[in-house]
Amino acid sequence: MSHSTNESEDELLSKDQSDSQSIDEGSCGGSFGGGGAVLKKGPWTSAEDAILVDYVKKHGEGNWNAVQKHSGLYRCGKSCRLRWANHLRPNLKKGAFTTDEERLIVELHSKMGNKWARMAAHLPGRTDNEIKNYWNTRIKRRQRAGLPLYPPEVCMQALTGSHQTQKTDEFNNVDTQQHGLLQANNYEIPDVTFDSLKANQGVLSFEPTLSDIAVSSMLSQGLGSSLNYSFIPPTMHRPKRLREPEHLFPGFNSSFTSGVSPFDQFQSDNCDKIHRPFGLSFPYDPNRKIKKSSPFGARSGSHAFLNGNISTSKPISGPVKMELPSFQYSDIDLGSMGTSPMLPSLESVDTFTQSPLSSGQVQSDCLSPRNSGLLDALLHESQTLNSAKNQSSEKSSSSSFVTPSDIMDGSTPNLCETEWEDYGDPISPLGRSAASVFGACTPISGSSLDDPPLSEALPAGSNVKQEPIEQISVLDGGEKEISAQFDFSRPDALLGAGWLDRSSGCAKAHSIKTGDTLETLLGEDLCNDYKYMTGTSTINQGWGIGSIPWSNMPDACHMSKLP
DNA sequence: AAGTCTGTCAACCGCTCTGGC
DNA sequence: CGCCAGAGCGGTTGACAGACT
């Protein structure tokens, strides 16, 4: 689909340069010829290509802003660089990605996240833009379809090999060489990581219900329009054609069509917005360097040390948007993080996939496991989740006052996760990776379009079960406790309670337990819709465990790590 | 057959980071 | 330390092609 290399365009060059349909005032910031000349935008012509190639032959790559000066090309340097890098560079491979390349991309992405350029470095002849497009379309299509983002083999590979490769693989070498530090790539577990996970879990074991809609509606409609998080109930606006099993992700239409998972939007993008509708005022801390200076994300007011019995009642003053800085830790740093050198354990994954909140022991979650990338992230998350369930079951909800903002920004319920987010990049290396790995190991209840169910794909013995989320531990007595701890003087307390509870992995809105209450929050129409959709006469079921898919839970709601 | 919708791709934009001066 | 250029990235847009109604 080349816009630019038609032979007929050659003769248009001069015309293009003087009469382009898309001449602009040099949005790239450059001027031309010192006279403030306009710069052409839009598709490149073959003549322009020729000029650029000729220029590069003579002067070499780089100093792109000089191209317009020396070659007479009415293009900004940025555009020249892009054109060269993506189309004119020698040895560029054109055409569809081969199977090997696709696999490599998935593999690289599992380690690097959205580091397209660095991924491209491992794919000779491929460009970062190409890879990005590929990922955003084909790969994410899998996600939309409810397929695991990472195929089982990648998941397994991560499980079996990430530890060894972590310190020796070429990626780290590249990182070291290019940046001197081990950058995030192998260590970051951004919020989006769990987006994918939740998305997959959302289809794991139960049918989404209107509660999904309700919650989101509450957020997007009732709590602020800035969210732009439109929910389309499965039975309301169905696409004219359903090429993908979108029903697996009801209400995610808008998100998915944009190529962004709902939680990407919800968390990565909206976490810094959501608090406003909530009337929360925890400032977004733009100073990421502060975070960088704090190896473990022990921000004041954060919950990074929650495991160390630091109360979560303190409002976070840190960033609401959990944009993690690169995990630029040296190996030593990483080694000192106390990450358990757990060997890859299928059980861990299985445990997780079987029950996101299975029992386990709380570890030093603050010590991020990202030092081994996908695998540790996986294991860590699994253990974290186990711990959460354990804690939840023990109803040791206790001491923490959790504000909705905490939940929304992911800081409170899951200390570890918060921390990860804090140090992750929203674009997350391993970001989507870990999540994806989880997803890859997560059996999909829906039918796969082109892949067998993961449970089949996984090696025998993986013992992945499709366990209804309803089986997750349920807080009964604890909910009263939690509710009691809420500060209902806060306008957001009620809603927060709901979030809080779901955040604990027990999708129960403690404070929102009756249809009346829900109606109050959602409005009668929505509530009725909900009842209709769920076929329940009461709202309790809808808000109970299993009604709120993980995929619809805010990242922060992943679990509650209550001391 | 025509219209509509969706996926793909190239390109752009704005932002951030890095390194050189 | 500040400025600037280059580079990288996420997000987005628009054109186009193909599938679908």
Side-chain angles (χ1 to χ4, degrees):
Chain A
M1 184 184 299
S2 174
H3 298 286
S4 60
T5 51
N6 295 335
E7 292 142 10
S8 58
E9 289 178 335
D10 291 351
E11 51 195 51
L12 298 176
L13 175 60
S14 58
K15 182 180 180 181
D16 285 338
Q17 293 184 345
S18 60
D19 189 26
S20 172
Q21 71 279 12
S22 56
I23 285 179
D24 191 43
E25 280 287 345
S27 60
C28 295
S31 60
F32 173 72
V38 293
L39 297 175
K40 183 175 180 287
K41 292 196 296 186
W44 281 65
T45 66
S46 55
E48 288 176 309
D49 286 344
I51 293 175
L52 181 57
V53 169
D54 187 59
Y55 174 86
V56 173
K57 281 180 182 175
K58 291 177 181 175
H59 301 90
E61 298 183 43
N63 201 11
W64 296 109
N65 284 334
V67 174
Q68 38 181 307
K69 299 174 184 175
H70 300 324
S71 68
L73 203 54
Y74 286 76
R75 296 278 185 172
C76 72
K78 202 172 182 178
S79 181
C80 292
R81 184 186 70 85
L82 203 65
R83 182 65 183 175
W84 174 260
N86 290 344
H87 299 282
L88 304 178
R89 207 178 47 183
N91 301 325
L92 272 183
K93 228 186 265 182
K94 289 295 181 182
F97 285 98
T98 65
T99 305
D100 287 342
E101 286 174 325
E102 291 177 357
R103 187 172 56 240
L104 184 56
I105 290 172
V106 173
E107 214 176 300
L108 291 170
H109 192 272
S110 72
K111 290 174 177 276
M112 297 180 172
N114 296 346
K115 302 296 181 187
W116 311 120
R118 286 155 80 177
M119 290 170 69
H122 297 279
L123 286 161
R126 299 297 186 179
T127 68
D128 53 352
N129 200 37
E130 215 173 353
I131 296 171
K132 180 177 69 176
N133 280 335
Y134 169 80
W135 185 262
N136 288 336
T137 56
R138 294 176 184 83
I139 292 297
K140 284 192 174 178
R141 182 175 53 193
R142 292 171 58 91
Q143 201 175 7
R144 293 198 300 268
L147 297 172
L149 196 55
Y150 297 97
E153 57 267 23
V154 172
C155 179
M156 297 307 299
Q157 183 175 346
L159 286 171
T160 57
S162 87
H163 244 302
Q164 299 99 314
T165 57
Q166 181 228 328
K167 290 183 174 126
T168 57
D169 68 11
E170 53 182 342
F171 309 127
N172 282 348
N173 289 339
V174 169
D175 291 346
T176 303
Q177 292 165 2
Q178 293 181 348
H179 304 282
L181 290 173
L182 285 170
Q183 284 198 335
N185 296 344
N186 295 325
Y187 311 106
E188 291 178 348
I189 299 182
D191 44 355
V192 284
T193 292
F194 305 100
D195 298 346
S196 301
L197 165 63
K198 282 172 280 188
N200 280 323
Q201 289 197 347
V203 299
L204 173 61
S205 53
F206 48 79
E207 286 292 322
T209 69
L210 191 57
S211 60
D212 311 340
I213 302 161
V215 172
S216 299
S217 299
M218 288 162 56
L219 294 174
S220 62
Q221 299 172 11
L223 296 171
S225 58
S226 64
L227 274 174
N228 288 328
Y229 189 62
S230 61
F231 253 86
I232 304 177
T235 58
M236 293 182 182
H237 303 81
R238 296 304 301 271
K240 208 171 179 180
R241 281 170 295 158
L242 202 55
R243 295 185 182 183
E244 304 287 354
E246 294 183 36
H247 58 280
L248 292 175
F249 298 94
F252 287 168
N253 300 19
S254 61
S255 299
F256 283 151
T257 52
S258 65
V260 180
S261 79
F263 275 84
D264 286 349
Q265 290 186 12
F266 195 87
Q267 299 165 231
S268 299
D269 191 20
N270 289 336
C271 277
D272 58 334
K273 302 171 184 174
I274 261 175
H275 69 284
R276 275 169 270 168
F278 271 98
L280 305 176
S281 59
F282 303 132
Y284 166 69
D285 182 3
N287 188 355
R288 290 198 259 169
K289 290 181 179 178
I290 291 176
K291 287 185 281 184
K292 285 180 180 177
S293 65
S294 178
F296 299 123
R299 280 181 291 106
S300 171
S302 75
H303 311 290
F305 288 152
L306 178 60
N307 206 32
N309 295 327
I310 291 181
S311 171
T312 60
S313 60
K314 190 175 179 180
I316 26 172
S317 57
V320 172
K321 180 176 182 177
M322 294 307 176
E323 185 170 355
L324 317 187
S326 298
F327 230 60
Q328 297 175 345
Y329 299 147
S330 66
D331 284 329
I332 295 176
D333 289 336
L334 293 164
S336 66
M337 292 172 73
T339 309
S340 72
M342 312 168 269
L343 289 175
S345 167
L346 280 177
E347 292 175 357
S348 300
V349 178
D350 293 343
T351 299
F352 173 80
T353 56
Q354 290 170 18
S355 176
L357 296 175
S358 60
S359 62
Q361 179 177 349
V362 178
Q363 269 204 355
S364 180
D365 296 319
C366 299
L367 306 180
S368 169
R370 276 172 285 183
N371 61 339
S372 65
L374 219 54
L375 172 60
D376 278 352
L378 185 69
L379 296 175
H380 178 78
E381 177 69 355
S382 176
Q383 292 195 353
T384 303
L385 291 170
N386 290 346
S387 301
K389 179 183 178 180
N390 204 27
Q391 303 255 339
S392 297
S393 300
E394 293 170 3
K395 305 182 182 74
S396 52
S397 50
S398 67
S399 60
S400 303
F401 168 78
V402 182
T403 69
S405 66
D406 289 335
I407 295 164
M408 298 310 294
D409 67 17
S411 61
T412 294
N414 185 346
L415 148 67
C416 182
E417 188 172 358
T418 297
E419 181 189 6
W420 289 5
E421 290 177 357
D422 235 351
Y423 286 91
D425 191 334
I427 29 186
S428 123
L430 217 172
R432 301 168 198 267
S433 332
S436 306
V437 167
F438 288 130
C441 294
T442 302
I444 305 302
S445 61
S447 59
S448 300
L449 289 181
D450 43 42
D451 286 353
L454 195 62
S455 55
E456 298 176 8
L458 282 174
S462 295
N463 193 27
V464 176
K465 300 175 186 175
Q466 297 188 16
E467 178 175 327
I469 200 165
E470 283 83 357
Q471 294 179 13
I472 294 173
S473 65
V474 179
L475 286 178
D476 277 329
E479 61 186 49
K480 292 177 181 177
E481 243 178 287
I482 295 175
S483 296
Q485 291 161 6
F486 258 79
D487 180 3
F488 289 97
S489 65
R490 294 176 61 102
D492 51 8
L494 185 60
L495 181 61
W499 286 103
L500 168 63
D501 203 3
R502 292 189 295 114
S503 74
S504 68
C506 302
K508 275 195 170 183
H510 298 304
S511 300
I512 307 172
K513 298 189 69 177
T514 68
D516 290 343
T517 308
L518 189 61
E519 285 177 11
T520 300
L521 286 171
L522 302 181
E524 189 175 349
D525 290 344
L526 259 182
C527 189
N528 290 336
D529 285 346
Y530 171 81
K531 291 175 182 175
Y532 173 77
M533 298 278 297
T534 59
T536 61
S537 57
T538 64
I539 223 66
N540 289 351
Q541 278 183 307
W543 284 85
I545 287 177
S547 345
I548 303 174
W550 281 60
S551 57
N552 275 0
M553 294 184 186
D555 181 36
C557 298
H558 217 31
M559 64 169 41
S560 176
K561 220 165 159 36
L562 301 172

